[in-house]
């Protein structure tokens, strides 16, 4: 059973508008979260992270929000640009202990930003 | 640094054949991961190594799959015998520890 879920396989947004990508997790031990971006024929690249001691982390146009009680995180992209069109993966780990470096990934959301 | 290097980029093989995928991690990274990407399940962790030692191979689907890391700069993922359902993109990633993987460009495997 997948411990990290991205229930929207795709999302289409107009250029300049906000893109919101969602991710849910089931393991309450997860306390470190990452978002990766993947272009076709390339490996995923790191985008932004958040640890459970925070509920928001911002990096330029990208902001990740974490709601620990709901076991939910989201990635906001504002404003969206055509170059943001890619598959976005969220990932989670326990952040400490033996498996601190073991990340579980969601199935990805394909974002299409229309010019 | 050239990043994580995977070879081959594409592999087409017949069912029943042995397939070997290769990975060179970033120098100095002490963790290495093998992932498989499929449409249904996204990125699945197959196995990971810390300091060349396999730590968790619970994601390896069957005994047909094996992975080795003979030294800090090289790892292989082998499938023997291969089956059509093994067709996927296989990614290798390395990390210095504490999150933030760097992924390779992947090997697209097609088993016919």
């Amino acid at each position: 059973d997948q411990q990290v879920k991205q229930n929207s396989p795709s999302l289409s947004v107009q250029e300049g508008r906000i893109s919101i990508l969602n991710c849910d997790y089931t393991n309450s031990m997860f306390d470190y979260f990452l978002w990766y971006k993947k272009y076709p024929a390339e490996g995923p690249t790191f985008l932004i992270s958040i640890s459970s001691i925070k509920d928001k982390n911002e990096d330029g146009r990208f902001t990740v929000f974490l709601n620990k009680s709901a076991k939910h995180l989201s990635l906001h992209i504002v404003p969206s640009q055509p170059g943001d069109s890619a598959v976005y993966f969220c990932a989670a780990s326990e952040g400490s202990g033996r498996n601190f470096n073991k990340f579980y990934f969601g199935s990805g959301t394909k974002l299409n930003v229309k010019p | 640094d050239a990043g994580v290097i995977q070879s081959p980029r594409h592999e087409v093989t017949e069912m029943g054949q042995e397939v070997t995928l290769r990975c060179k991690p970033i120098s100095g990274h002490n963790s290495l991961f093998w992932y498989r990407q499929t449409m249904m399940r996204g990125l699945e962790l197959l196995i990971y190594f810390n300091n060349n030692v396999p730590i968790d191979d619970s994601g390896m689907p069957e005994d047909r799959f094996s992975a080795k890391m003979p030294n800090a700069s090289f790892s292989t993922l082998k499938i023997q015998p291969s089956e059509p359902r093994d067709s996927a993109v296989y990614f290798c990633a390395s990390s210095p520890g504490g999150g933030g993987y760097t992924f390779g460009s992947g090997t697209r495997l097609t088993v016919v």
Side-chain angles (χ1 to χ4, degrees):
Chain A
D1 190 27
Q2 283 194 286
Q3 298 190 53
V4 178
K5 297 179 182 178
Q6 294 176 257
N7 292 318
S8 297
S10 64
L11 175 68
S12 187
V13 171
Q14 202 68 37
E15 180 179 6
R17 308 295 290 268
I18 184 171
S19 295
I20 300 176
L21 296 97
N22 293 305
C23 179
D24 297 290
Y25 59 96
T26 57
N27 187 342
S28 59
M29 298 297 291
F30 287 156
D31 62 3
Y32 190 62
F33 306 88
L34 308 174
W35 283 93
Y36 276 80
K37 176 178 175 179
K38 183 184 178 305
Y39 292 117
E42 296 183 10
T45 54
F46 171 73
L47 189 57
I48 193 169
S49 65
I50 190 167
S51 72
S52 60
I53 61 173
K54 302 174 76 172
D55 54 17
K56 176 183 173 182
N57 188 26
E58 190 172 352
D59 183 1
R61 296 185 298 112
F62 301 89
T63 303
V64 56
F65 295 92
L66 175 62
N67 183 333
K68 291 184 289 294
S69 60
K71 296 191 184 69
H72 176 84
L73 65 157
S74 61
L75 174 69
H76 293 209
I77 307 173
V78 183
S80 302
Q81 300 173 353
D84 296 329
S85 298
V87 177
Y88 289 79
F89 292 96
C90 71
S93 84
E94 294 183 12
S96 62
R98 185 170 180 267
N99 288 319
F100 81 100
N101 208 19
K102 178 179 179 179
F103 281 86
Y104 295 85
F105 281 78
S107 53
T109 296
K110 185 175 184 179
L111 174 65
N112 178 33
V113 180
K114 296 177 287 186
Chain B
D1 198 317
V4 176
I5 300 173
Q6 290 186 247
S7 64
R9 287 299 305 271
H10 303 273
E11 176 79 38
V12 181
T13 190
E14 291 186 348
M15 183 173 64
Q17 296 297 306
E18 177 181 297
V19 175
T20 299
L21 312 181
R22 297 173 176 79
C23 176
K24 176 178 167 49
I26 291 175
S27 177
H29 283 192
N30 61 354
S31 297
L32 182 140
F33 307 82
W34 282 100
Y35 279 85
R36 176 171 69 176
Q37 183 188 11
T38 61
M39 290 293 292
M40 292 298 294
R41 299 183 64 83
L43 281 167
E44 296 177 273
L45 177 63
L46 300 176
I47 185 171
Y48 80 96
F49 297 83
N50 273 353
N51 297 316
N52 313 339
V53 176
I55 300 301
D56 187 340
D57 66 353
S58 59
M60 296 286 260
E62 300 172 31
D63 290 345
R64 298 184 296 107
F65 286 69
S66 62
K68 293 182 180 179
M69 192 165 185
N71 57 62
S73 59
F74 184 64
S75 176
T76 59
L77 177 68
K78 186 177 293 186
I79 309 173
Q80 165 65 17
S82 57
E83 297 182 2
R85 60 193 169 118
D86 302 330
S87 298
V89 181
Y90 291 80
F91 287 102
C92 174
S94 69
S95 166
Y101 296 177
T102 300
F103 281 85
S105 298
T107 295
R108 180 174 293 277
L109 173 66
T110 303
V111 183
V112 297

